[in-house]
Amino acid sequence: MPISMHSHSGQFCAHAKGNLEEVVQEAINKKFLIYGLSEHCPRYRVKDLYPEESHLHPSDLYKTFKEYVIEARRLQSKYNSEIKLIIGLESEAITINTASNEISKLVREFQLDYVVGSVHHVFEVPIDIDSETFERALEEAEVEGKKINYNNDGKSDDNNIKNSSDSREEILFSAYFDAQYKILCEIKPTIVGHFDVIRIFRPTWKFGTRVWEKVVRNVEFVVSYGGLFELNSSGWKKGLTDAYPQRDILELIIKKGGKFTISDDSHGPTSVGQNYDKLYKYLKEFQIDTIYYLDHEYDKDGKKLVVKKSLKNILSHPFWQQFISSADSR
């Protein structure tokens, strides 16, 4: 299906490339009909700026986000006859006690269509930048793991101290899925972004029982409120075997009756539709032939609504032919 619900541009994201209009133009060239714009929400502390943002102040990030929304709406109008642009944001969850309020405020202030609910930090340390930073997160996990645990409600529990035998990975992964659960509960994001991005630098680490229980908890909660799980093709770009989520979690989501959308998580025009050839095969392998996307409708009073729609028989959609060989489509 010609959609992606998660994207970025170098114009408004320092680690991406190109400007937003180039991204939209490339999506049109590749025959996308629905394209979600979801720049990162601003961060509010100097300590949370990335290295490429060292010359900026958090107030600059807010200004950049405001400019993103203005430009996105301009493009939405300009290219209305060629593509449907859905305007939202991708969440951060650095300080988990304040993140939800910050996200909700942005959604209200800018009247955004949707949220891609993602977690990129654990113990306030980025976990998907590079292996060195991931190692720092593991070190922090080791320190934090000696202090306190989180129970299956995502709340701290002084009586549930981690065992001394717990690995740093188990502590870090547990904390990641607890942070994700908090965002899920408080925001109920329309789309859950790269569900298991925590695996990026530990792709073969086996989930223990406690971590897997948190995965199940989170999946069941998303299903309960009707959220969409994105099949995110950037997993291959990061060197993983599969898209996000990896196949063990994908099988769980299918078993629990979860609904899927698809995303390229593009970071510039050259990555629009990236790895959609592999994504097609992934969908086909797991017989996922119905996906969901966001669209606009208007009520009787003319108020714009954002609605979820389904598309069936997606594996036979002609959109895929530009990405796959004739043999793959059989």
Side-chain angles (χ1 to χ4, degrees):
M1 167 59 183
I3 70 170
S4 173
M5 296 308 307
H6 181 174
S7 67
H8 305 278
S9 73
Q11 187 174 358
F12 302 109
C13 174
H15 62 269
K17 297 180 179 179
N19 64 49
L20 188 58
E21 186 159 13
E22 290 172 334
V23 170
V24 171
Q25 290 171 339
E26 184 61 20
I28 293 170
N29 290 339
K30 289 185 174 172
K31 301 180 175 61
F32 282 84
L33 296 180
I34 305 285
Y35 208 76
L37 308 180
S38 57
E39 295 292 3
H40 292 283
C41 65
R43 279 150 283 120
Y44 298 95
R45 303 184 306 178
V46 172
K47 65 181 290 186
D48 297 326
L49 296 175
Y50 293 118
E52 64 270 18
E53 299 168 333
S54 59
H55 61 294
L56 300 175
H57 185 273
S59 61
D60 296 319
L61 300 187
Y62 174 83
K63 180 182 177 182
T64 297
F65 188 84
K66 183 176 181 179
E67 291 170 349
Y68 148 66
V69 176
I70 292 171
E71 175 66 357
R73 292 216 169 98
R74 183 185 75 83
L75 298 174
Q76 190 179 54
S77 176
K78 179 177 179 178
Y79 294 103
N80 181 55
S81 63
E82 300 174 80
I83 194 169
K84 177 69 67 70
L85 299 178
I86 311 297
I87 302 172
L89 63 77
E90 183 179 13
S91 73
E92 301 282 1
I94 304 173
T95 53
I96 60 175
N97 292 326
T98 63
S100 296
N101 288 335
E102 293 164 355
I103 296 164
S104 297
K105 182 179 179 181
L106 289 168
V107 171
R108 292 192 302 270
E109 179 179 358
F110 295 105
Q111 298 181 11
L112 299 175
D113 294 328
Y114 74 113
V115 171
V116 176
S118 300
V119 175
H120 301 94
H121 297 71
V122 182
F123 303 127
E124 302 187 10
V125 179
I127 46 85
D128 61 348
I129 293 180
D130 53 42
S131 57
E132 290 77 15
T133 309
F134 187 82
E135 180 63 29
R136 185 156 60 88
L138 286 172
E139 292 170 358
E140 191 66 25
E142 187 171 13
V143 172
E144 292 295 323
K146 296 175 181 177
K147 299 178 182 177
I148 199 165
N149 189 24
Y150 288 91
N151 63 29
N152 280 339
D153 293 323
K155 299 176 181 178
S156 61
D157 184 351
D158 293 330
N159 295 318
N160 194 13
I161 302 300
K162 291 180 174 66
N163 297 322
S164 59
S165 61
D166 288 349
S167 69
R168 299 186 304 167
E169 283 82 4
E170 183 163 9
I171 296 168
L172 185 67
F173 276 59
S174 292
Y176 169 83
F177 286 112
D178 281 340
Q180 182 183 68
Y181 186 63
K182 187 173 179 64
I183 288 292
L184 294 176
C185 290
E186 296 183 356
I187 297 296
K188 294 183 174 62
T190 311
I191 295 169
V192 182
H194 39 60
F195 188 96
D196 52 351
V197 72
I198 186 65
R199 289 172 134 164
I200 187 170
F201 296 111
R202 288 294 186 275
T204 61
W205 186 77
K206 301 299 183 183
F207 288 3
T209 300
R210 181 173 358 150
V211 175
W212 185 250
E213 287 175 349
K214 294 176 187 292
V215 170
V216 174
R217 173 199 64 191
N218 292 10
V219 167
E220 290 178 342
F221 186 75
V222 176
V223 172
S224 74
Y225 75 79
L228 303 178
F229 298 89
E230 69 166 2
L231 289 166
N232 184 319
S233 65
S234 73
W236 288 292
K237 177 183 176 182
K238 301 297 185 178
L240 298 177
T241 303
D242 304 313
Y244 302 112
Q246 300 286 281
R247 60 188 56 230
D248 54 350
I249 296 179
L250 178 57
E251 290 171 348
L252 172 68
I253 296 170
I254 293 171
K255 179 181 178 180
K256 296 292 184 178
K259 297 178 179 179
F260 297 98
T261 190
I262 57 176
S263 301
D264 56 24
D265 198 354
S266 65
H267 278 62
T270 60
S271 56
V272 171
Q274 188 173 48
N275 290 315
Y276 264 37
D277 55 336
K278 296 178 181 178
L279 184 60
Y280 174 84
K281 294 176 183 178
Y282 203 45
L283 291 165
K284 188 174 181 181
E285 177 182 353
F286 286 91
Q287 301 178 24
I288 299 172
D289 207 19
T290 298
I291 60 171
Y292 294 78
Y293 61 98
L294 304 182
D295 202 352
H296 292 140
E297 287 186 354
Y298 293 87
D299 64 15
K300 62 181 180 180
D301 298 320
K303 181 180 179 181
K304 186 174 71 172
L305 305 173
V306 180
V307 297
K308 297 173 190 171
K309 294 184 178 179
S310 65
L311 183 72
K312 299 180 180 180
N313 304 315
I314 61 163
L315 294 174
S316 59
H317 197 287
F319 165 79
W320 295 108
Q321 294 306 315
Q322 64 185 303
F323 300 105
I324 62 176
S325 68
S326 57
D328 291 330
S329 62
R330 295 193 197 116

